[in-house]
Amino acid sequence: MVRMTLVKKNPGIVSILLLTFFLFHSFDVWADELRVAVASNFLLPVKELSRKFEETTTNRVALISASTGKLYAQIKQGAPFDILLAADSLRPKLLEKEGIGVPGSRFTYAVGRLALWSADNTLFLRNDLQVLNQKNFRYLAIANPKTAPYGKAAEQVLRKKGFWDQLQTRLVRGENISQTFQFLVTGNADIGFIALSQLKRNQGQLKGYSWVVPAEWHNPIRQQAILLKRAKTNKAAKEFLNFIKSNRVQKIIESYGYSLEHL
Amino acid sequence: MDISSSGPIWLTLQLASVTVMILLAIGTPIAWWLAHTRSKMRVGIEAVVALPLVLPPTVLGFYLLILLGPNGWIGGPLKTLTGSPLSFTFTGLVFASTLYSLPFVVQPLQSNFESIGSTPMETAASLGASRWDAFFSVILPLSRRGYLTATVLGFAHTLGEFGVVLMVGGNIPGKTKVISIEIYDRVEVLEYTQAHILSAGLLLFSFIILLTVYSINKKLPVHIS
């Protein structure tokens, strides 16, 4: 009886309660999904891969993308992710050591390649870094070396070839490799170090000139995957990792502009 | 405008100070016009001024990145004139902050001018004062409260700016790396101690200036015509 009175007197409150219930209910449904946290440089490939994965199973994949550093901090604070596809090997190693990642589940799913790109064809004279000696560009964009593995690799290249100090005033740092790319595409920076995979996936739309930096000029950008503790017994998560590891999928990853460690 | 390399704290204070000065200069005529006009344009301009309150900083940041860049409507002509577009510069950040904090300065000034009404100006005019003279010797002294609120809110809001700066700043130490970006970087690389120091400092500082302005405001007289 009391409930009836509530409904009659406060239809508004009741509908809000019902709405809340349905909202939370749908959140519960999402919780059954496989949650994959992915470094921003790998978001596009993994979108295609998870579509392919979903074709073979009833499991749904939800992708959460941010920089590796941010994802790591979120996972440490209890973020409900099942798998991390990082842009480096450092954070997965740390997670394994800290007991947040499942020991032995860590593997390199892709090796990142660095490319120098400019929308301005006239900047490049030769296939090397000599372009950086020119005075006719204002900004060189890199990802922030402190937070982004591709930025760290770019710093290593610039240091190794003696450009780091002389270019300090012309360096702009993107928060991650996607923002670095965005600086270049919008023309705000003239030239920059980005991931080769970003160029590959935008082939055809991009004008300009690019050059792939020799792999031995920087430490390898080993992008590692790790299964997270909360998904230790999650069958779908293990299936997804095996799927990524499979030769077929590794070939696809290679076609996106990554090198492979195992094949 | 080239500010020599200095810590993010100093840079943030410079940015907030320059922004507030510009905002007071352009905010005063806008607020005055909004407070006194009977034009039909008024509601439209009011809505435009309030836009930064509701827009996500990413929208502003995205448009600014395109506008201020070498191919943009603003950055393009500037590049031909000065050799440098506005993105990734301190001047660019000042431009962005001015837009971003505009309502925080215009709105308090507008309600201040509205509460003063037109009587003091008319009285001054009947006594033979010119418009400028009347504004500076009658309106301004009556507006201390409004200007204090506008200055503090504009300053504090610029201190807390993050999204826009992240998008158009380029994280250049001494030029565009402000406190909020520095905190963001520190958190990202797990340097929580430094992040704590900066965050707690900013929290305390913001609280103190707000506390100061509210207690001064209580003491200042309110003018209602």
Side-chain angles (χ1 to χ4, degrees):
Chain A
M1 277 325 282
V2 178
R3 216 177 293 155
M4 283 308 290
T5 339
L6 181 75
V7 174
K8 272 179 195 158
K9 283 190 177 164
N10 303 296
I13 289 183
V14 173
S15 27
I16 287 173
L17 284 175
L18 278 173
L19 190 66
T20 319
F21 172 78
F22 283 120
L23 280 176
F24 276 102
H25 185 71
S26 47
F27 279 127
D28 277 343
V29 174
W30 293 345
D32 290 336
E33 283 178 336
L34 185 60
R35 291 211 187 110
V36 179
V38 55
S40 26
N41 83 80
F42 201 66
L43 179 62
L44 251 101
V46 87
K47 268 188 185 161
E48 184 196 325
L49 295 178
S50 39
R51 263 200 303 276
K52 282 196 170 32
F53 178 71
E54 284 172 345
E55 283 166 14
T56 64
T57 139
T58 53
N59 297 299
R60 302 288 100 186
V61 180
L63 299 171
I64 300 97
S65 118
S67 70
T68 302
K70 209 175 305 147
L71 292 171
Y72 169 77
Q74 289 173 348
I75 290 166
K76 272 201 82 170
Q77 298 303 322
F81 306 150
D82 302 312
I83 288 170
L84 170 67
L85 298 177
D88 63 5
S89 56
L90 173 73
R91 312 315 147 107
K93 269 182 198 156
L94 279 174
L95 288 172
E96 190 172 28
K97 209 162 70 188
E98 290 157 350
I100 304 168
V102 175
S105 67
R106 190 165 53 84
F107 70 97
T108 305
Y109 65 89
V111 180
R113 293 298 304 272
L114 203 60
L116 188 63
W117 179 64
S118 171
D120 184 356
N121 274 318
T122 59
L123 272 179
F124 282 90
L125 298 172
R126 284 188 306 201
N127 262 351
D128 57 21
L129 284 185
Q130 288 316 307
V131 54
L132 298 180
N133 273 325
Q134 297 175 34
K135 297 275 178 266
N136 60 349
F137 71 93
R138 173 141 182 97
Y139 290 115
L140 169 73
I142 63 172
N144 190 345
K146 270 189 170 175
T147 55
Y150 283 89
K152 202 171 172 188
E155 179 180 344
Q156 287 167 352
V157 170
L158 289 171
R159 282 193 189 278
K160 188 184 170 83
K161 298 296 167 187
F163 287 106
W164 182 251
D165 292 324
Q166 77 181 64
L167 286 175
Q168 273 309 303
T169 53
R170 292 200 272 170
L171 273 187
V172 289
R173 296 165 182 82
E175 191 251 320
N176 53 45
I177 199 67
S178 306
Q179 198 194 9
T180 311
F181 190 51
Q182 168 205 317
F183 283 160
L184 289 161
V185 171
T186 55
N188 281 284
D190 313 273
I191 187 166
F193 285 101
I194 54 171
L196 176 62
S197 55
Q198 290 172 306
L199 285 178
K200 287 261 179 178
R201 93 174 62 110
N202 292 291
Q203 248 169 4
Q205 301 166 39
L206 289 178
K207 281 172 276 179
Y209 193 91
S210 65
W211 172 65
V212 183
V213 179
E216 60 280 8
W217 286 12
H218 56 83
N219 295 337
I221 307 168
R222 282 201 188 90
Q223 304 202 181
Q224 292 201 327
I226 191 164
L227 183 67
L228 300 171
K229 207 175 58 186
R230 73 187 287 274
K232 205 173 175 178
T233 54
N234 185 331
K235 216 172 125 247
K238 281 184 187 150
E239 278 171 10
F240 186 79
L241 285 177
N242 284 332
F243 171 78
I244 296 282
K245 237 185 261 183
S246 69
N247 285 1
R248 182 171 71 96
V249 171
Q250 287 282 296
K251 286 276 184 247
I252 300 176
I253 291 177
E254 191 177 24
S255 73
Y256 271 101
Y258 295 93
S259 298
L260 302 175
E261 193 151 74
H262 300 298
L263 287 180
Chain B
M1 204 184 307
D2 230 348
I3 302 289
S4 62
S5 78
S6 46
I9 299 178
W10 181 228
L11 184 78
T12 311
L13 293 176
Q14 280 177 310
L15 177 65
S17 312
V18 175
T19 303
V20 161
M21 282 189 268
I22 293 174
L23 274 174
L24 288 176
I26 62 170
T28 300
I30 297 176
W32 183 263
W33 184 81
L34 285 174
H36 293 98
T37 186
R38 291 200 187 93
S39 160
K40 278 180 189 158
M41 303 247 301
R42 179 191 150 142
V43 279
I45 302 288
E46 263 183 320
V48 170
V49 167
L51 270 180
L53 286 175
V54 292
L55 279 182
T58 38
V59 172
L60 207 54
F62 171 57
Y63 283 138
L64 284 173
L65 190 67
I66 290 170
L67 278 180
L68 304 185
N71 311 317
W73 289 348
I74 300 173
L78 259 166
K79 197 185 177 185
T80 12
L81 278 175
T82 65
S84 162
L86 271 180
S87 44
F88 312 135
T89 60
F90 183 78
T91 318
L93 285 200
V94 170
F95 185 86
S97 310
T98 305
L99 282 178
Y100 181 65
S101 297
L102 186 70
F104 290 81
V105 171
V106 170
Q107 290 185 348
L109 290 182
Q110 185 188 343
S111 57
N112 171 76
F113 292 147
E114 277 166 357
S115 74
I116 291 173
S118 45
T119 327
M121 273 301 260
E122 283 160 7
T123 316
S126 70
L127 293 171
S130 76
R131 280 171 70 90
W132 287 105
D133 189 17
F135 182 81
F136 283 107
S137 48
V138 179
I139 302 295
L140 270 189
L142 288 176
S143 306
R144 272 179 302 180
R145 199 173 161 148
Y147 272 94
L148 184 69
T149 312
T151 307
V152 169
L153 287 183
F155 189 84
H157 192 242
T158 310
L159 281 189
E161 190 178 7
F162 173 69
V164 181
V165 178
L166 185 75
M167 289 184 77
V168 297
N171 206 341
I172 306 172
K175 269 166 94 187
T176 59
K177 188 175 197 163
V178 297
I179 298 182
S180 56
I181 303 278
E182 176 78 3
I183 293 173
Y184 184 73
D185 276 3
R186 299 281 188 181
V187 173
E188 189 116 331
V189 294
L190 307 172
E191 293 172 357
Y192 284 2
T193 318
Q194 288 92 330
H196 270 309
I197 295 170
L198 285 168
S199 304
L202 198 58
L203 182 78
L204 201 68
F205 184 71
S206 309
F207 178 69
I208 289 172
I209 52 173
L210 288 175
L211 194 69
T212 314
V213 79
Y214 284 130
S215 46
I216 295 177
N217 252 351
K218 231 180 158 182
K219 287 177 196 142
L220 284 178
V222 186
H223 296 275
I224 294 167
S225 57

